[in-house]
mmCIF file of all heavy atoms in Angstrom:
data_model
loop_
_atom_site.group_PDB
_atom_site.id
_atom_site.type_symbol
_atom_site.label_atom_id
_atom_site.label_comp_id
_atom_site.label_asym_id
_atom_site.label_seq_id
_atom_site.Cartn_x
_atom_site.Cartn_y
_atom_site.Cartn_z
ATOM 1 N N VAL A 10 92.628 96.785 120.252
ATOM 2 C CA VAL A 10 91.529 95.832 120.507
ATOM 3 C C VAL A 10 90.548 95.980 119.491
ATOM 4 O O VAL A 10 90.007 97.027 119.220
ATOM 5 C CB VAL A 10 90.976 96.073 121.902
ATOM 6 C CG1 VAL A 10 89.836 95.124 122.217
ATOM 7 C CG2 VAL A 10 92.065 95.969 122.991
ATOM 8 N N ARG A 11 90.119 94.892 118.819
ATOM 9 C CA ARG A 11 89.128 94.945 117.714
ATOM 10 C C ARG A 11 87.782 95.479 118.174
ATOM 11 O O ARG A 11 87.075 96.134 117.427
ATOM 12 C CB ARG A 11 88.906 93.562 117.145
ATOM 13 C CG ARG A 11 88.766 93.425 115.729
ATOM 14 C CD ARG A 11 89.499 94.427 114.870
ATOM 15 N NE ARG A 11 89.078 94.254 113.437
ATOM 16 C CZ ARG A 11 88.892 95.279 112.680
ATOM 17 N NH1 ARG A 11 89.057 96.472 113.061
ATOM 18 N NH2 ARG A 11 88.571 95.074 111.407
ATOM 19 N N GLY A 12 87.441 95.222 119.428
ATOM 20 C CA GLY A 12 86.135 95.676 119.924
ATOM 21 C C GLY A 12 86.084 97.045 120.391
ATOM 22 O O GLY A 12 85.065 97.511 120.896
ATOM 23 N N ASP A 13 87.223 97.780 120.314
ATOM 24 C CA ASP A 13 87.190 99.203 120.800
ATOM 25 C C ASP A 13 86.321 100.060 119.964
ATOM 26 O O ASP A 13 85.770 99.638 118.978
ATOM 27 C CB ASP A 13 88.590 99.732 121.056
ATOM 28 C CG ASP A 13 89.353 100.033 119.793
ATOM 29 O OD1 ASP A 13 88.818 99.884 118.684
ATOM 30 O OD2 ASP A 13 90.529 100.446 119.943
ATOM 31 N N ARG A 14 86.147 101.260 120.357
ATOM 32 C CA ARG A 14 85.200 102.186 119.660
ATOM 33 C C ARG A 14 85.362 102.213 118.157
ATOM 34 O O ARG A 14 86.472 102.303 117.669
ATOM 35 C CB ARG A 14 85.387 103.581 120.234
ATOM 36 C CG ARG A 14 85.186 103.667 121.707
ATOM 37 C CD ARG A 14 85.538 105.090 122.184
ATOM 38 N NE ARG A 14 86.916 105.416 121.846
ATOM 39 C CZ ARG A 14 87.474 106.549 121.997
ATOM 40 N NH1 ARG A 14 86.747 107.547 122.514
ATOM 41 N NH2 ARG A 14 88.677 106.834 121.743
ATOM 42 N N SER A 15 84.277 102.313 117.507
ATOM 43 C CA SER A 15 84.266 102.535 116.043
ATOM 44 C C SER A 15 83.555 103.856 115.817
ATOM 45 O O SER A 15 82.746 104.260 116.538
ATOM 46 C CB SER A 15 83.479 101.465 115.280
ATOM 47 O OG SER A 15 84.141 100.218 115.357
ATOM 48 N N PRO A 16 84.005 104.567 114.758
ATOM 49 C CA PRO A 16 83.414 105.866 114.471
ATOM 50 C C PRO A 16 81.906 105.744 114.044
ATOM 51 O O PRO A 16 81.541 104.775 113.445
ATOM 52 C CB PRO A 16 84.128 106.474 113.337
ATOM 53 C CG PRO A 16 85.075 105.398 112.822
ATOM 54 C CD PRO A 16 85.062 104.182 113.831
ATOM 55 N N ASN A 17 81.058 106.682 114.549
ATOM 56 C CA ASN A 17 79.652 106.744 114.172
ATOM 57 C C ASN A 17 79.639 107.539 112.878
ATOM 58 O O ASN A 17 79.777 108.812 112.944
ATOM 59 C CB ASN A 17 78.904 107.329 115.256
ATOM 60 C CG ASN A 17 77.379 107.426 114.931
ATOM 61 O OD1 ASN A 17 76.999 107.713 113.745
ATOM 62 N ND2 ASN A 17 76.553 107.173 115.855
ATOM 63 N N LEU A 18 79.502 106.955 111.759
ATOM 64 C CA LEU A 18 79.535 107.668 110.513
ATOM 65 C C LEU A 18 78.447 108.651 110.239
ATOM 66 O O LEU A 18 78.589 109.636 109.549
ATOM 67 C CB LEU A 18 79.589 106.625 109.307
ATOM 68 C CG LEU A 18 80.841 105.734 109.339
ATOM 69 C CD1 LEU A 18 80.773 104.726 108.114
ATOM 70 C CD2 LEU A 18 82.148 106.451 109.392
ATOM 71 N N GLU A 19 77.274 108.409 110.840
ATOM 72 C CA GLU A 19 76.149 109.266 110.669
ATOM 73 C C GLU A 19 76.378 110.578 111.451
ATOM 74 O O GLU A 19 75.952 111.668 111.019
ATOM 75 C CB GLU A 19 74.881 108.668 111.162
ATOM 76 C CG GLU A 19 74.415 107.524 110.290
ATOM 77 C CD GLU A 19 73.180 106.844 110.735
ATOM 78 O OE1 GLU A 19 72.457 107.355 111.701
ATOM 79 O OE2 GLU A 19 72.766 105.770 110.199
ATOM 80 N N LYS A 20 77.163 110.569 112.543
ATOM 81 C CA LYS A 20 77.389 111.769 113.307
ATOM 82 C C LYS A 20 78.693 112.451 112.855
ATOM 83 O O LYS A 20 78.854 113.577 113.140
ATOM 84 C CB LYS A 20 77.462 111.374 114.799
ATOM 85 C CG LYS A 20 76.141 110.935 115.389
ATOM 86 C CD LYS A 20 76.313 110.647 116.776
ATOM 87 C CE LYS A 20 75.052 110.134 117.485
ATOM 88 N NZ LYS A 20 75.308 109.756 118.911
ATOM 89 N N SER A 21 79.595 111.689 112.261
ATOM 90 C CA SER A 21 80.925 112.242 111.868
ATOM 91 C C SER A 21 80.792 113.046 110.596
ATOM 92 O O SER A 21 79.861 112.910 109.848
ATOM 93 C CB SER A 21 81.890 111.117 111.680
ATOM 94 O OG SER A 21 82.142 110.348 112.860
ATOM 95 N N GLY A 22 81.794 113.856 110.355
ATOM 96 C CA GLY A 22 81.723 114.679 109.119
ATOM 97 C C GLY A 22 83.104 115.176 108.836
ATOM 98 O O GLY A 22 84.056 115.153 109.565
ATOM 99 N N TYR A 23 83.187 115.645 107.543
ATOM 100 C CA TYR A 23 84.449 116.243 107.067
ATOM 101 C C TYR A 23 84.176 117.272 105.963
ATOM 102 O O TYR A 23 83.210 117.196 105.341
ATOM 103 C CB TYR A 23 85.452 115.100 106.537
ATOM 104 C CG TYR A 23 84.983 114.480 105.306
ATOM 105 C CD1 TYR A 23 85.311 114.877 104.035
ATOM 106 C CD2 TYR A 23 84.176 113.266 105.421
ATOM 107 C CE1 TYR A 23 84.867 114.260 102.885
ATOM 108 C CE2 TYR A 23 83.776 112.616 104.297
ATOM 109 C CZ TYR A 23 84.164 113.106 102.992
ATOM 110 O OH TYR A 23 83.676 112.497 101.849
ATOM 111 N N VAL A 24 85.194 118.110 105.767
ATOM 112 C CA VAL A 24 85.120 119.037 104.670
ATOM 113 C C VAL A 24 86.524 118.999 104.036
ATOM 114 O O VAL A 24 87.571 118.965 104.697
ATOM 115 C CB VAL A 24 84.948 120.540 105.219
ATOM 116 C CG1 VAL A 24 84.967 121.489 104.076
ATOM 117 C CG2 VAL A 24 83.616 120.626 105.943
ATOM 118 N N LEU A 25 86.542 118.895 102.707
ATOM 119 C CA LEU A 25 87.748 118.931 101.937
ATOM 120 C C LEU A 25 87.953 120.337 101.392
ATOM 121 O O LEU A 25 87.006 120.883 100.858
ATOM 122 C CB LEU A 25 87.690 117.934 100.845
ATOM 123 C CG LEU A 25 87.624 116.441 101.178
ATOM 124 C CD1 LEU A 25 87.716 115.582 99.961
ATOM 125 C CD2 LEU A 25 88.751 116.013 102.153
ATOM 126 N N HIS A 26 89.176 120.793 101.518
ATOM 127 C CA HIS A 26 89.509 122.169 101.034
ATOM 128 C C HIS A 26 90.563 121.971 99.945
ATOM 129 O O HIS A 26 91.632 121.426 100.157
ATOM 130 C CB HIS A 26 90.064 123.053 102.138
ATOM 131 C CG HIS A 26 89.148 123.180 103.321
ATOM 132 N ND1 HIS A 26 88.144 124.089 103.350
ATOM 133 C CD2 HIS A 26 89.142 122.506 104.517
ATOM 134 C CE1 HIS A 26 87.495 124.006 104.538
ATOM 135 N NE2 HIS A 26 88.084 123.033 105.216
ATOM 136 N N THR A 27 90.299 122.523 98.774
ATOM 137 C CA THR A 27 91.310 122.512 97.719
ATOM 138 C C THR A 27 92.208 123.740 97.962
ATOM 139 O O THR A 27 91.821 124.601 98.700
ATOM 140 C CB THR A 27 90.639 122.540 96.347
ATOM 141 O OG1 THR A 27 89.797 123.682 96.254
ATOM 142 C CG2 THR A 27 89.800 121.267 96.063
ATOM 143 N N THR A 28 93.353 123.683 97.302
ATOM 144 C CA THR A 28 94.305 124.758 97.430
ATOM 145 C C THR A 28 94.689 125.330 96.084
ATOM 146 O O THR A 28 94.270 124.722 95.067
ATOM 147 C CB THR A 28 95.591 124.338 98.197
ATOM 148 O OG1 THR A 28 96.301 123.412 97.403
ATOM 149 C CG2 THR A 28 95.185 123.634 99.523
ATOM 150 N N SER A 29 95.489 126.332 96.029
ATOM 151 C CA SER A 29 95.921 126.809 94.751
ATOM 152 C C SER A 29 96.909 125.865 94.023
ATOM 153 O O SER A 29 97.070 125.966 92.843
ATOM 154 C CB SER A 29 96.614 128.203 94.920
ATOM 155 O OG SER A 29 97.800 128.039 95.752
ATOM 156 N N ASP A 30 97.426 124.945 94.802
ATOM 157 C CA ASP A 30 98.233 123.840 94.173
ATOM 158 C C ASP A 30 97.271 122.630 93.965
ATOM 159 O O ASP A 30 96.697 122.079 94.925
ATOM 160 C CB ASP A 30 99.353 123.403 95.193
ATOM 161 C CG ASP A 30 100.249 122.412 94.644
ATOM 162 O OD1 ASP A 30 99.907 121.587 93.765
ATOM 163 O OD2 ASP A 30 101.353 122.273 95.161
ATOM 164 N N PRO A 31 97.091 122.250 92.715
ATOM 165 C CA PRO A 31 96.177 121.123 92.457
ATOM 166 C C PRO A 31 96.619 119.745 93.006
ATOM 167 O O PRO A 31 95.780 118.894 93.105
ATOM 168 C CB PRO A 31 96.161 121.085 90.918
ATOM 169 C CG PRO A 31 97.407 121.688 90.475
ATOM 170 C CD PRO A 31 97.736 122.724 91.525
ATOM 171 N N ASP A 32 97.837 119.675 93.491
ATOM 172 C CA ASP A 32 98.336 118.458 94.096
ATOM 173 C C ASP A 32 98.258 118.410 95.599
ATOM 174 O O ASP A 32 98.737 117.505 96.264
ATOM 175 C CB ASP A 32 99.791 118.139 93.684
ATOM 176 C CG ASP A 32 99.888 117.841 92.166
ATOM 177 O OD1 ASP A 32 98.911 117.360 91.610
ATOM 178 O OD2 ASP A 32 100.915 118.198 91.611
ATOM 179 N N VAL A 33 97.604 119.486 96.215
ATOM 180 C CA VAL A 33 97.463 119.549 97.638
ATOM 181 C C VAL A 33 96.032 119.808 98.021
ATOM 182 O O VAL A 33 95.314 120.666 97.455
ATOM 183 C CB VAL A 33 98.353 120.696 98.171
ATOM 184 C CG1 VAL A 33 98.095 120.819 99.730
ATOM 185 C CG2 VAL A 33 99.842 120.460 97.943
ATOM 186 N N PHE A 34 95.496 119.063 98.997
ATOM 187 C CA PHE A 34 94.187 119.335 99.514
ATOM 188 C C PHE A 34 94.262 119.043 101.015
ATOM 189 O O PHE A 34 95.062 118.388 101.551
ATOM 190 C CB PHE A 34 93.041 118.584 98.917
ATOM 191 C CG PHE A 34 93.052 117.074 99.053
ATOM 192 C CD1 PHE A 34 92.307 116.515 100.168
ATOM 193 C CD2 PHE A 34 93.714 116.249 98.237
ATOM 194 C CE1 PHE A 34 92.272 115.206 100.306
ATOM 195 C CE2 PHE A 34 93.698 114.866 98.428
ATOM 196 C CZ PHE A 34 92.986 114.330 99.452
ATOM 197 N N ILE A 35 93.325 119.649 101.727
ATOM 198 C CA ILE A 35 93.278 119.557 103.219
ATOM 199 C C ILE A 35 91.931 119.009 103.625
ATOM 200 O O ILE A 35 90.858 119.420 103.105
ATOM 201 C CB ILE A 35 93.461 121.031 103.852
ATOM 202 C CG1 ILE A 35 94.780 121.557 103.472
ATOM 203 C CG2 ILE A 35 93.302 120.971 105.361
ATOM 204 C CD1 ILE A 35 94.955 123.010 103.687
ATOM 205 N N ALA A 36 91.961 118.101 104.568
ATOM 206 C CA ALA A 36 90.748 117.471 105.133
ATOM 207 C C ALA A 36 90.579 117.951 106.561
ATOM 208 O O ALA A 36 91.527 117.858 107.376
ATOM 209 C CB ALA A 36 90.809 115.951 105.086
ATOM 210 N N GLU A 37 89.422 118.558 106.836
ATOM 211 C CA GLU A 37 89.052 118.973 108.175
ATOM 212 C C GLU A 37 87.996 117.995 108.672
ATOM 213 O O GLU A 37 86.951 117.863 108.078
ATOM 214 C CB GLU A 37 88.519 120.401 108.063
ATOM 215 C CG GLU A 37 88.088 121.011 109.315
ATOM 216 C CD GLU A 37 87.541 122.499 109.075
ATOM 217 O OE1 GLU A 37 87.503 122.946 107.941
ATOM 218 O OE2 GLU A 37 87.114 123.059 110.071
ATOM 219 N N ILE A 38 88.338 117.241 109.734
ATOM 220 C CA ILE A 38 87.490 116.099 110.110
ATOM 221 C C ILE A 38 87.063 116.150 111.567
ATOM 222 O O ILE A 38 87.801 116.564 112.471
ATOM 223 C CB ILE A 38 88.329 114.817 109.957
ATOM 224 C CG1 ILE A 38 88.902 114.727 108.557
ATOM 225 C CG2 ILE A 38 87.501 113.515 110.288
ATOM 226 C CD1 ILE A 38 90.015 113.792 108.385
ATOM 227 N N ASP A 39 85.779 115.861 111.801
ATOM 228 C CA ASP A 39 85.207 115.658 113.093
ATOM 229 C C ASP A 39 84.690 114.232 113.172
ATOM 230 O O ASP A 39 83.711 113.914 112.511
ATOM 231 C CB ASP A 39 84.154 116.639 113.427
ATOM 232 C CG ASP A 39 84.611 118.061 113.602
ATOM 233 O OD1 ASP A 39 85.638 118.203 114.361
ATOM 234 O OD2 ASP A 39 84.106 118.979 112.976
ATOM 235 N N THR A 40 85.390 113.336 113.834
ATOM 236 C CA THR A 40 85.005 111.951 114.011
ATOM 237 C C THR A 40 84.335 111.800 115.373
ATOM 238 O O THR A 40 84.858 112.154 116.390
ATOM 239 C CB THR A 40 86.244 110.998 113.915
ATOM 240 O OG1 THR A 40 86.955 111.272 112.684
ATOM 241 C CG2 THR A 40 85.820 109.573 113.947
ATOM 242 N N VAL A 41 83.146 111.261 115.342
ATOM 243 C CA VAL A 41 82.332 111.035 116.541
ATOM 244 C C VAL A 41 82.310 109.578 116.890
ATOM 245 O O VAL A 41 81.997 108.653 116.045
ATOM 246 C CB VAL A 41 80.827 111.559 116.335
ATOM 247 C CG1 VAL A 41 80.035 111.291 117.596
ATOM 248 C CG2 VAL A 41 80.917 113.056 115.983
ATOM 249 N N PHE A 42 82.697 109.271 118.159
ATOM 250 C CA PHE A 42 82.607 107.925 118.684
ATOM 251 C C PHE A 42 81.546 107.881 119.679
ATOM 252 O O PHE A 42 81.441 108.842 120.529
ATOM 253 C CB PHE A 42 84.012 107.544 119.319
ATOM 254 C CG PHE A 42 85.156 107.479 118.406
ATOM 255 C CD1 PHE A 42 85.922 108.586 118.201
ATOM 256 C CD2 PHE A 42 85.434 106.340 117.762
ATOM 257 C CE1 PHE A 42 86.966 108.577 117.301
ATOM 258 C CE2 PHE A 42 86.467 106.279 116.837
ATOM 259 C CZ PHE A 42 87.259 107.358 116.645
ATOM 260 N N ASP A 43 80.644 106.905 119.628
ATOM 261 C CA ASP A 43 79.573 106.787 120.634
ATOM 262 C C ASP A 43 80.210 106.381 121.938
ATOM 263 O O ASP A 43 81.001 105.492 122.003
ATOM 264 C CB ASP A 43 78.590 105.685 120.207
ATOM 265 C CG ASP A 43 77.813 106.134 118.944
ATOM 266 O OD1 ASP A 43 77.565 107.342 118.792
ATOM 267 O OD2 ASP A 43 77.463 105.213 118.111
ATOM 268 N N GLY A 44 79.784 107.102 122.951
ATOM 269 C CA GLY A 44 80.267 106.793 124.294
ATOM 270 C C GLY A 44 79.174 106.324 125.202
ATOM 271 O O GLY A 44 78.014 106.208 124.755
ATOM 272 N N ASP A 45 79.512 105.995 126.410
ATOM 273 C CA ASP A 45 78.509 105.637 127.379
ATOM 274 C C ASP A 45 77.827 106.876 127.926
ATOM 275 O O ASP A 45 78.277 107.418 128.902
ATOM 276 C CB ASP A 45 79.131 104.819 128.568
ATOM 277 C CG ASP A 45 79.676 103.503 128.106
ATOM 278 O OD1 ASP A 45 79.171 102.941 127.075
ATOM 279 O OD2 ASP A 45 80.690 103.067 128.702
ATOM 280 N N GLY A 46 76.855 107.335 127.272
ATOM 281 C CA GLY A 46 76.126 108.594 127.654
ATOM 282 C C GLY A 46 76.589 109.778 126.911
ATOM 283 O O GLY A 46 75.808 110.651 126.552
ATOM 284 N N ASP A 47 77.926 109.899 126.663
ATOM 285 C CA ASP A 47 78.453 111.109 125.971
ATOM 286 C C ASP A 47 79.227 110.649 124.724
ATOM 287 O O ASP A 47 79.971 109.707 124.841
ATOM 288 C CB ASP A 47 79.379 111.898 126.915
ATOM 289 C CG ASP A 47 78.673 112.630 127.987
ATOM 290 O OD1 ASP A 47 77.469 113.024 127.814
ATOM 291 O OD2 ASP A 47 79.207 112.733 129.108
ATOM 292 N N ASP A 48 78.975 111.325 123.681
ATOM 293 C CA ASP A 48 79.776 111.104 122.455
ATOM 294 C C ASP A 48 81.185 111.691 122.645
ATOM 295 O O ASP A 48 81.351 112.679 123.357
ATOM 296 C CB ASP A 48 79.150 111.680 121.177
ATOM 297 C CG ASP A 48 77.875 110.975 120.882
ATOM 298 O OD1 ASP A 48 77.625 109.838 121.287
ATOM 299 O OD2 ASP A 48 77.099 111.575 120.062
ATOM 300 N N VAL A 49 82.160 111.063 122.036
ATOM 301 C CA VAL A 49 83.514 111.627 122.052
ATOM 302 C C VAL A 49 83.787 112.121 120.642
ATOM 303 O O VAL A 49 83.670 111.341 119.683
ATOM 304 C CB VAL A 49 84.507 110.523 122.470
ATOM 305 C CG1 VAL A 49 85.949 111.111 122.376
ATOM 306 C CG2 VAL A 49 84.242 109.964 123.859
#
């Protein structure tokens, strides 16, 4: 559904981790969705 939750970019965040292999990286992500009273 197009109207379902969208991520709150101001509250969300990520960290990129490089590895010893230059062709591999890891993304650690916390996506925050605004909820009715509580964020998810």
Side-chain angles (χ1 to χ4, degrees):
V10 177
R11 215 38 184 139
D13 70 4
R14 304 176 299 175
S15 292
N17 181 320
L18 299 180
E19 291 181 10
K20 294 180 182 178
S21 299
Y23 66 90
V24 177
L25 296 183
H26 303 277
T27 56
T28 69
S29 60
D30 182 337
D32 293 331
V33 175
F34 68 91
I35 299 166
E37 182 181 356
I38 306 161
D39 290 311
T40 304
V41 178
F42 296 92
D43 293 326
D45 296 332
D47 289 325
D48 291 342
V49 176

